[in-house]
Amino acid sequence: MTNLPPPAEELRLLDAELRQLDLRRAVLLRRREWLVHTLMAAAQQPARGAGTAPGGGPPRAGGDADARRPEASAPGVQNVLLVLGGVLLTIAAVAFTLVSWGHLGIAGRALVLGALTVAALGGPVVLLRRGLRSTAEAVSALGTALTVLDAYALHEVAFAGTDGFGYAAGASAALAGVWTAYAVLAGAPTPPTGARQTAEGGSAGEGARPGLRHPLPLAVATAHLPLLLWAIAAGAGPHTLTAVLLVTAAGGTAVALRAAWVPVRVVAVTGALGTGLVGVLSAGWLCWSASDPGTAARAAALLAGAAAVALLAGRFVPDADVAMGAALAAGLCLVAGVGGVLWVALPGEWTVPGCLACGVALSAVNRTALPRPLRRGLVRASVVVQCFAVLWSVPLVAGTVLGPSAQAARPWSGVPGDVRDAVFTDVPWPPYSATVPLVLAAVAAVLLVAGRNTARRPSATVVALVLGWAAVLVLPVVLRLPCTAALVTQGAVVVAALGLAEWADRSGPRPSPLTLTALLLALVTSVDLALLSLASEPATIGVLASLTAVFGAVCRRPGPAPIAAPAALAHATALACAIGASAGWPPPRTALLVLVVPAVAALVAARTHGSRATVPVEAAGAAAGLLALALAVTDPPMLALVLSLGGVLAAGTALRPQRRQAGWAAAALFLLAAWVRLTAWDVTTPEAYTLPVTGPALVVGYLRRRRDTAVSSWTAYGAGLAVTLVPSLLAAWDDQYWLRPLLLGVAALAVTLVGARHRLQAPLVLGAGVLALVTLHELAPYITQVVGALPRWVPPALAGLVLLVLGATYEQRLRDARRLRDVLGRLR
């Protein structure tokens, strides 16, 4: 039989073999990588090498420079050289014209520039016939640059006294015409017929005519300058310059729509957008900064012209998105023009309503025969105008909602003259805000009508509800109604919103967005109403009582209950504080009245168990309880009473099977109440604070061990014993008297004996440890005296003797330690 090695030796051998296999595999992988690299390098060498080195041997990996790939392609090198050559020639021509021009006579100047221009413009024709297209482009670019220099030279020689802008306008027009003619004569590129030739067996580029690419786009770009330069030269006013810009943009738009070549179309679109944007901005500025209706109307006419151009462009452009954007821009131009005229002709309050009316009128095109992209663009312009109108009303709405919070700093200081004085006390009144309710109501009506028969009806209804609520909320402020009228109005809004929420909740089993929105609006309005009522004591109590009753009545429905019930409890908490303040009670005494709210919340939560309103109600009750504690914190006896009552409420909540965890809160509250009472009595003995914890904790631990014998003594009794033993030990360590150490030692001895009797680990260890430390503390003076009386050689001798004894009995001590560990482990 084969003699097998021991398992440990066999495992070592296997590990060694696996390591050898890994090393061998790494060597083979490196060799394979070298071979692959060598074969790839050989394939890239010239045919004469055929994968071998010049000496006939195998090729060297990475050692042959011919195997490297070129870093630049031949067409790229060619283009760089041609562009660089054209740039250098252009720079030379410019330098010649500006520097060396004066050294030649008139004949010499004309001869040199004429010869250079003719050669530069005629050379590309010959180069194109020879197929040198890139070279032809470079030479023709030089020729077009020379034509600009010719125009400059002509101005310096023959037209030096003319106006610069006028000559530039004529020169730009002439250059645009010359470059257009040159592009036609030299042969502008035409697209290939493509698919047809390919299907017939020809190449994909067959039928394409090569030509110069840059002259025609350059001519189109230059054609945007003459009109503007002529207008500047003629001293035209801002309206005329704006009209010239818009006409230029219209011409560029026409070229973009008619051009079939992409570079020309791109240049035309860019020029049209640039000049059109500048023209529209200029017309808008002229319209809104006009001093009389006539001037504003002239600028509005320019905006209308721009809108017409945009609509025509959108009508003929093939892309639906571009057409929709053009119609959107057209609609905004029309509204801006109307708004500018209204700004001058009417009071400032009616500008936004007028723009809104114009924007609403734009939405009527949805019923016309216009193409669908144009209709969608105009409708979106209407939406943009309505959004701007709503944003314009935000400052007034925000001030109305947030302004009453200033009353919290001066409660019951007296009723102001009207609601505007009460709301906008610390913030300025937004200008031209008198028509905000009209604007908000109009937008809400438009939303309801527009979303009536569409899939967006729920969203439109929700937004319209918010806008209508805002309109009603700001109406008393705009009309400067008395505070009483404002309170009645906001109260009606709260009732109406809650009624709407209750009605909408009946439409389905789950709360709809309309229900949630109505509840939130009612909640915000109720807070605003409560803050506004702080101006008067009777108004505060009456409003808070009414809000508590109204929100409590809505809690009957399961949909509004999760929001309405906490709101009712919050208002009830505020009502309790207001009643206490009205009665002249100090805050600690008012805390007892506030505790009624957590009691009611506990009763309601017990009745609504399982519903979605249970947790919000409990949270509102807990918040009210915290407020009661905050109110009573300055009076320790009253704080102890509040904590005790809170513990009673928590204990009552813990009677419910689903809220057993509240028992811990009840125990903590009772404990805190006891501690606060002891502090109020100036009790400084730590056992007075710790024994009320230890007793119940030991009882709970005993009951738990009776139900479950697997629970360890540390879990059942450890925390309860440590709460008293540890603080008492710390206190006894600095105590100068004998009573506390004696009582603590007796208690620790009793705990140790109980642990030993019942074989419980936690009492035995804790009691023995505390007893040993107390004994050490009491015997420490005597030990110190004995050590001081011994000679100095005695401690080292004793230490050496101890080490000898320990070394001699090391094995026996280990056996005893293991036996002690087993004994402690068998303890429960």
Side-chain angles (χ1 to χ4, degrees):
M1 296 180 64
T2 303
N3 294 326
L4 296 176
E9 180 66 16
E10 184 178 2
L11 180 62
R12 187 185 64 79
L13 294 175
L14 289 176
D15 290 338
E17 289 293 333
L18 290 175
R19 282 194 296 272
Q20 293 296 329
L21 290 175
D22 290 338
L23 293 175
R24 181 61 178 167
R25 185 174 185 274
V27 172
L28 294 176
L29 287 176
R30 285 196 296 271
R31 180 65 179 174
R32 180 183 182 278
E33 184 179 359
W34 181 85
L35 291 174
V36 170
H37 180 73
T38 302
L39 292 175
M40 293 179 62
Q44 296 176 0
Q45 287 180 348
R48 66 179 180 85
T52 61
R60 297 184 302 273
D64 195 350
D66 294 335
R68 297 178 181 176
R69 299 182 61 183
E71 297 182 357
S73 62
V77 175
Q78 164 195 300
N79 293 333
V80 170
L81 295 177
L82 291 175
V83 171
L84 182 60
V87 170
L88 292 177
L89 287 175
T90 303
I91 293 174
V94 172
F96 168 76
T97 304
L98 297 178
V99 178
S100 300
W101 180 258
H103 300 289
L104 299 175
I106 296 177
R109 301 170 188 175
L111 182 62
V112 171
L113 277 180
L116 290 176
T117 304
V118 171
L121 294 178
V125 179
V126 179
L127 295 173
L128 286 175
R129 292 176 182 175
R130 294 181 177 274
L132 303 176
R133 182 171 181 175
S134 299
T135 307
E137 287 286 349
V139 177
S140 65
L142 176 61
T144 54
L146 287 174
T147 56
V148 178
L149 295 178
D150 289 338
Y152 170 75
L154 184 62
H155 177 267
E156 292 296 322
V157 173
F159 302 98
T162 60
D163 179 67
F165 283 104
Y167 181 79
S172 60
L175 288 175
V178 169
W179 291 337
T180 303
Y182 177 64
V184 174
L185 293 176
T190 58
T193 52
R196 182 173 60 83
Q197 281 80 1
T198 303
E200 294 174 359
S203 63
E206 188 177 351
R209 184 182 66 182
L212 299 177
R213 293 182 177 273
H214 80 279
L216 195 56
L218 187 60
V220 173
T222 309
H224 287 79
L225 299 177
L227 282 178
L228 181 60
L229 293 175
W230 273 328
I232 295 175
H239 287 81
T240 305
L241 289 175
T242 303
V244 167
L245 286 172
L246 294 177
V247 170
T248 303
T253 303
V255 173
L257 292 175
R258 298 286 297 175
W261 194 33
V262 175
V264 174
R265 190 161 59 245
V266 170
V267 172
V269 168
T270 304
L273 288 177
T275 55
L277 180 61
V278 174
V280 167
L281 293 177
S282 176
W285 180 79
L286 292 173
C287 186
W288 283 84
S289 62
S291 58
D292 58 273
T295 306
R298 290 174 56 192
L302 294 176
L303 289 173
V309 172
L311 285 176
L312 287 175
R315 174 66 178 81
F316 294 104
V317 74
D319 194 341
D321 293 334
V322 176
M324 185 171 59
L328 172 63
L332 294 179
C333 287
L334 290 174
V335 175
V338 173
V341 175
L342 293 175
W343 175 254
V344 180
L346 296 176
E349 290 82 359
W350 295 100
T351 302
V352 175
C355 293
L356 179 61
C358 185
V360 173
L362 287 178
S363 62
V365 300
N366 208 16
R367 301 179 181 272
T368 62
L370 286 175
R372 179 178 175 83
L374 296 184
R375 286 188 280 119
R376 292 182 61 188
L378 291 174
V379 170
R380 293 195 177 188
S382 174
V383 173
V384 171
V385 172
Q386 295 177 49
C387 291
F388 273 109
V390 173
L391 289 177
W392 169 74
S393 65
V394 166
L396 180 59
V397 176
T400 304
V401 173
L402 302 177
S405 60
Q407 296 292 333
R410 46 180 183 274
W412 300 346
S413 58
V415 180
D418 54 55
V419 66
R420 183 181 297 186
D421 295 336
V423 173
F424 287 90
T425 303
D426 300 329
V427 293
W429 172 257
Y432 309 116
S433 300
T435 54
V436 167
L438 177 61
V439 170
L440 293 173
V443 176
V446 170
L447 281 174
L448 290 176
V449 173
R452 180 176 50 188
N453 297 321
T454 63
R456 299 179 179 178
R457 180 179 179 181
S459 302
T461 304
V462 169
V463 177
L465 175 62
V466 175
L467 295 176
W469 165 80
V472 176
L473 192 68
V474 301
L475 185 60
V477 181
V478 172
L479 298 179
R480 305 198 70 147
L481 297 179
C483 287
T484 304
L487 294 176
V488 172
T489 303
Q490 292 188 0
V493 170
V494 173
V495 173
L498 292 177
L500 178 61
E502 189 173 3
W503 171 81
D505 183 61
R506 300 175 182 175
S507 59
R510 299 183 60 85
S512 63
L514 183 61
T515 302
L516 297 178
T517 304
L519 287 172
L520 292 177
L521 294 179
L523 183 60
V524 172
T525 310
S526 66
V527 174
D528 198 53
L529 175 60
L531 291 173
L532 190 62
S533 67
L534 289 176
S536 172
E537 178 180 347
T540 302
I541 297 177
V543 165
L544 291 176
S546 301
L547 290 176
T548 303
V550 170
F551 278 96
V554 181
C555 296
R556 296 175 300 173
R557 297 290 304 175
I563 296 178
L569 293 174
H571 291 305
T573 303
L575 177 61
C577 295
I579 292 174
S582 177
W585 293 352
R589 189 175 179 184
T590 305
L592 296 176
L593 189 59
V594 174
L595 278 179
V596 176
V597 177
V600 174
L603 295 176
V604 172
R607 294 191 59 183
T608 61
H609 170 67
S611 67
R612 291 182 294 109
T614 303
V615 175
V617 166
E618 292 175 343
L626 292 176
L627 177 61
L629 293 177
L631 292 174
V633 73
T634 57
D635 188 356
M638 187 62 69
L639 179 60
L641 179 58
V642 171
L643 287 170
S644 301
L645 295 177
V648 172
L649 295 177
T653 303
L655 295 178
R656 295 160 50 193
Q658 299 80 13
R659 294 292 184 266
R660 296 300 188 193
Q661 298 82 0
W664 297 102
L669 290 174
F670 284 130
L671 179 62
L672 289 175
W675 286 355
V676 170
R677 174 54 64 182
L678 291 174
T679 303
W681 287 338
D682 296 329
V683 175
T684 58
T685 304
E687 289 78 10
Y689 296 88
T690 58
L691 287 177
V693 181
T694 297
L698 294 178
V699 172
V700 171
Y702 174 74
L703 295 177
R704 185 175 180 183
R705 279 184 57 84
R706 287 189 61 183
R707 292 195 304 267
D708 186 4
T709 56
V711 176
S712 66
S713 61
W714 288 104
T715 303
Y717 305 118
L721 292 174
V723 166
T724 294
L725 292 177
V726 174
S728 298
L729 179 63
L730 296 177
W733 204 261
D734 294 332
D735 198 344
Q736 302 297 326
Y737 302 98
W738 58 271
L739 182 59
R740 176 178 277 113
L742 177 61
L743 295 177
L744 180 60
V746 172
L749 178 61
V751 170
T752 304
L753 294 176
V754 171
R757 172 67 179 81
H758 297 282
R759 302 178 65 184
L760 299 176
Q761 192 178 69
L764 180 62
V765 173
L766 290 176
V770 172
L771 181 60
L773 291 175
V774 170
T775 304
L776 179 63
H777 174 265
E778 294 301 317
L779 296 179
Y782 304 102
I783 296 176
T784 303
Q785 293 178 3
V786 172
V787 172
L790 293 176
R792 294 187 177 183
W793 58 268
V794 172
L798 292 177
L801 180 62
V802 170
L803 291 176
L804 288 176
V805 173
L806 289 176
T809 59
Y810 182 74
E811 184 177 2
Q812 182 65 33
R813 292 294 179 265
L814 288 178
R815 185 181 300 113
D816 294 341
R818 285 194 295 269
R819 186 177 302 168
L820 178 61
R821 183 192 62 188
D822 295 339
V823 172
L824 291 175
R826 288 193 297 270
L827 296 177
R828 292 173 293 170

